[in-house]
């Protein structure tokens, strides 16, 4: 079975709206409707280890959470359910990260009895492995032990938990099956699991975080995803899971910046990244200013989620220490802003007006900036601007709607691809379209839309749009429409940024251009 799964039509995913790129396997957290119990339970004495499937209910946890979440095309305050299981008589339990990260309230129930409620708190998470450890108030709990033998294909297994549960009347469900594949890597929209088990003990929404057990009641894996239509279900293998869980029990979080995130790729492929569903208060992401509904499009300069998976994001986190500074770029859809900042560093700030029109705070760096600029004019001598001397290929023949000036190191290459920087400026007193309509016409389908914004100076009111990752490169386009304060004409400027020194050129061009 491949590590990256193919899309499958008709698959639904709990709490995920239809706009998300869908994968064959889906998260199984959060249920809404009750189903009949297919297994039975025999409660065991306090502080005793589960010794069979029949004894397991007394150590299986029903989890009910509430919080403010933002999913693609859906947001609001949600209540959802999941499962978990006790591994220590002192109240230490395991569940999935996607069940608990970013929640506002967490309530746990033992054996499905809603009158047997326990307060609980998260003590450690590992989102890339979709594991979390919580602590229930209380003591003398029944608990599970780990499966010590090798997990092999054909092993009989049982999924335990509370799928599709009614929070007011949860029903415990047991399903049986067998292991199809053992200890294989699997990449997903919400996790990057290095050692997963594929099995046929059917899971549904609400099974997330519940145990997959062998006949002796020992835990083989932690359920975290599945496809009921294909009856292929996923669990984090005990081989790796128990090592991670041991660290989480100590209060350590692994490979986490404090978000409940999803790999996201829009249907047309123009936008991708890590969709932030929720943010844990006080986490590194929270301190940086990341909000639910943001899309982290880049981390450490690397584009994320291009295949709709979370793989690159997890690879970066796994190659860093928890207190390392990580540069991020965020698209905030709510305000149509692009922001930059650092996890464990400076807070997010828009790259809008500050990046586009303010003068650099220091003298240009001769190693990274252009050394000299030259003044160029169009053939009508109505447009004037300073551009780098390296942009020596200049053309100024007018268009029907007004004077037109352009410059680049090579104009033919500038117009044929995305590897050459340059600028185009058009001034028109006859162009009557609104700025947003002009920007719509300048959108390049080979680029990712990074959002629109506005700013103004004493001469113009501006609308702008930033486009990134043009043609699969790191090249960006900035399209700007300036309306003169007396509304007598508009100026349309398009700049292509290929390297860091081109950002400096943006400042010079915007501060120097004149229309007579």
């Amino acid at each position: 079975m491949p590590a990256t799964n193919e899309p499958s039509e008709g698959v639904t995913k709990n709490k995920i709206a239809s706009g998300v790129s869908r994968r064959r396997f889906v998260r199984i957290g959060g249920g809404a409707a009750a189903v009949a119990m297919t297994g039975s339970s025999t409660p065991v004495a306090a502080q005793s280890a589960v010794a069979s499937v029949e004894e397991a209910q007394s150590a299986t946890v029903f989890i009910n959470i509430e919080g403010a979440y933002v999913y693609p095309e859906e947001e609001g305050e949600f209540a959802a359910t999941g499962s978990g299981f006790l591994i220590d008589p002192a109240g230490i339990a395991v569940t999935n990260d996607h069940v608990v990260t970013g929640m506002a309230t967490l309530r746990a129930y033992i054996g499905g009895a809603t009158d047997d409620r326990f307060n609980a708190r998260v003590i450690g998470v590992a989102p890339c492995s979709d594991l979390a450890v919580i602590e229930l108030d209380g003591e003398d709990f029944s608990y599970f032990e780990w499966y010590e033998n090798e997990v092999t294909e054909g092993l009989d297994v049982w999924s335990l938990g509370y799928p599709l549960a009614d929070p007011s009347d949860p029903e415990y469900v047991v399903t049986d099956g067998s292991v199809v594949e053992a200890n294989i890597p699997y990449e997903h929209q919400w996790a990057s699991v290095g050692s997963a088990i594929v099995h046929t003990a059917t899971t549904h929404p609400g099974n997330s975080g519940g145990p997959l057990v062998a006949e002796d009641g020992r835990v083989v894996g932690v359920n975290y995803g599945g496809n009921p239509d294909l009856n292929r279900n996923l669990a984090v293998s005990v081989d790796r899971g128990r090592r991670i869980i041991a660290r989480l029990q100590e209060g350590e979080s692994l490979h986490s910046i404090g978000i409940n995130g999803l790999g996201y790729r829009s249907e047309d492929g123009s936008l991708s990244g890590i969709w932030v569903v929720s943010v844990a208060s006080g986490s590194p992401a929270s301190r940086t200013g990341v909000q639910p509904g943001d899309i982290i499009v880049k981390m450490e300069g690397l584009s994320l989620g291009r295949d709709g998976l979370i793989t690159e994001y997890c690879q970066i986190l796994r190659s860093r220490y928890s207190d390392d500074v990580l540069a991020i770029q965020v698209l905030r859809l709510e305000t149509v802003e692009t922001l930059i900042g650092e996890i464990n560093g400076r807070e997010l700030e828009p790259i809008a007006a500050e990046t586009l029109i303010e003068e650099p705070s220091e003298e240009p760096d001769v190693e990274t900036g252009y050394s000299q600029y030259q003044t160029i004019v169009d053939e009508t001598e109505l447009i004037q601007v300073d551009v780098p001397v390296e942009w020596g290929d200049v053309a100024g023949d007018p268009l029907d709607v007004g004077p037109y000036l352009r410059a680049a190191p090579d104009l033919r290459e500038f117009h044929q691809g995305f590897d050459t920087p340059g600028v185009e400026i058009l001034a028109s007193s006859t162009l009557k379209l609104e700025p947003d309509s002009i920007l719509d016409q300048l959108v390049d389908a080979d680029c990712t839309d990074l959002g629109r914004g506005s700013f103004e100076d004493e001469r113009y009111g501006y609308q702008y749009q930033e486009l990134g990752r043009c043609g699969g490169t790191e090249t960006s386009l900035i399209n700007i429409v300036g309306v003169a304060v007396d509304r007598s004409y508009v100026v349309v400027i398009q700049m292509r940024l290929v390297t860091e020194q081109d950002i400096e050129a943006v400042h010079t061009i915007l501060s120097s251009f004149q229309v007579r």
Side-chain angles (χ1 to χ4, degrees), residues 11 69 71 78 96 117 123 128 141 143 174 235 238 243 265 270-271 291 310 323 401 426 439 446 478 503 507:
V11 175
Y69 301 94
Y71 294 92
F78 291 90
N96 286 149
R117 168 181 164 180
I123 60 176
C128 289
F141 292 101
Y143 60 94
V174 178
V238 67
R243 295 196 299 271
R265 183 177 184 271
S270 63
L271 176 61
Q291 300 178 5
I310 205 168
D323 58 355
V401 293
L426 168 69
L439 290 175
D446 290 330
I478 297 178
I503 298 176
H507 299 293

Side-chain angles (χ1 to χ4, degrees), residues 60-76:
T60 303
V61 181
F62 171 61
I63 296 173
N64 190 7
I65 59 106
E66 293 181 346
Y69 301 94
V70 178
Y71 294 92
E73 300 181 6
E74 184 180 10
E75 64 178 284

Side-chain angles (χ1 to χ4, degrees), residues 392-427:
D393 194 356
V394 178
D397 47 311
L399 297 178
D400 291 341
V401 293
Y404 178 46
L405 179 61
R406 51 206 184 276
D410 187 307
L411 284 174
R412 170 179 281 186
E413 293 180 358
F414 175 73
H415 289 297
Q416 289 182 347
F418 295 104
D419 297 326
T420 304
V423 62
E424 299 175 272
I425 303 176
L426 168 69

Side-chain angles (χ1 to χ4, degrees), residues 35 143 184 207 332 338:
V35 296
Y143 60 94
I184 61 172
N207 271 118
R332 181 157 294 163
T338 298

Side-chain angles (χ1 to χ4, degrees), residues 297-316:
V297 295
K298 286 185 179 181
M299 179 174 281
E300 288 293 278
L302 180 66
S303 298
L304 303 177
R306 288 169 290 184
D307 51 5
L309 305 177
I310 205 168
T311 307
E312 294 95 347
Y313 170 77
C314 289
Q315 288 174 342
I316 293 172

Side-chain angles (χ1 to χ4, degrees), residues 256-259 279-288:
S256 172
I257 62 172
I259 68 167
V279 181
S281 298
S283 66
S286 176
R287 294 193 297 269
T288 300

Side-chain angles (χ1 to χ4, degrees), residues 265-391:
R265 183 177 184 271
S266 61
E267 291 184 2
D268 62 2
S270 63
L271 176 61
S272 65
I274 303 302
W275 184 289
V276 180
V277 175
S278 61
V279 181
S281 298
S283 66
S286 176
R287 294 193 297 269
T288 300
V290 178
Q291 300 178 5
D294 285 349
I295 301 175
I296 303 175
V297 295
K298 286 185 179 181
M299 179 174 281
E300 288 293 278
L302 180 66
S303 298
L304 303 177
R306 288 169 290 184
D307 51 5
L309 305 177
I310 205 168
T311 307
E312 294 95 347
Y313 170 77
C314 289
Q315 288 174 342
I316 293 172
L317 295 184
R318 283 171 170 153
S319 64
R320 302 295 198 280
Y321 291 108
S322 61
D323 58 355
D324 280 354
V325 176
L326 298 171
I328 61 169
Q329 180 174 317
V330 168
L331 174 60
R332 181 157 294 163
L333 296 177
E334 182 180 7
T335 57
V336 197
E337 288 181 295
T338 298
L339 305 99
I340 55 175
E342 296 170 336
I343 299 297
N344 296 318
R346 59 190 175 89
E347 295 182 6
L348 287 173
E349 58 183 4
I351 65 171
E354 177 182 356
T355 300
L356 293 173
I357 65 174
E358 287 186 3
E359 290 292 335
S361 58
E362 301 177 355
E363 291 297 318
D365 186 338
V366 296
E367 295 183 359
T368 60
Y370 289 106
S371 59
Q372 293 183 331
Y373 286 80
Q374 61 180 340
T375 300
I376 61 173
V377 296
D378 72 300
E379 290 182 2
T380 67
E381 298 185 352
L382 293 176
I383 301 176
Q384 174 181 305
V385 68
D386 294 344
V387 299
V389 293
E390 289 86 347
W391 297 6

